[in-house]
Amino acid sequence: MDKELQAYYEARFDMMTSKGWKDLIEDLQKVAEVSKDLDRCNGIEDLYYAKGQLDILNFIFKLKEASEDAYEELTR
């Protein structure tokens, strides 16, 4: 793995161990709970909007694991 890519992953892992990251994840988990409430959807547009929000939130929630998996694969 080249040094630039190594630095990229090290910075990402540093970010994900910070208090700020942990606070962000907690806040986003609360948003995700509210977004799962489909009763607030008044039409198909609202439903697609909520689905998009949940897709983005799930991407963020899985980012640490995906980064760790990719890093492990690159360092084999």
Side-chain angles (χ1 to χ4, degrees), residues 9-71:
Y9 278 103
E10 288 175 2
R12 178 169 280 191
F13 295 139
D14 285 345
M15 173 189 70
M16 291 178 179
T17 60
S18 73
K19 181 177 179 348
W21 178 261
K22 291 173 186 172
D23 290 344
L24 174 65
I25 294 299
E26 285 179 23
D27 291 344
L28 292 178
Q29 287 170 335
K30 292 173 188 171
V31 171
E33 285 303 313
V34 171
S35 295
K36 289 179 184 177
D37 182 13
L38 299 181
D39 288 337
R40 65 187 186 94
C41 293
N42 295 320
I44 194 76
E45 292 86 10
D46 290 343
L47 183 62
Y48 284 133
Y49 181 78
K51 183 182 182 314
Q53 284 183 315
L54 290 172
D55 285 345
I56 292 167
L57 291 170
N58 285 326
F59 170 80
I60 294 169
F61 295 150
K62 295 175 184 175
L63 184 60
K64 183 177 184 205
E65 183 180 342
S67 297
E68 290 169 345
D69 290 348
Y71 183 81

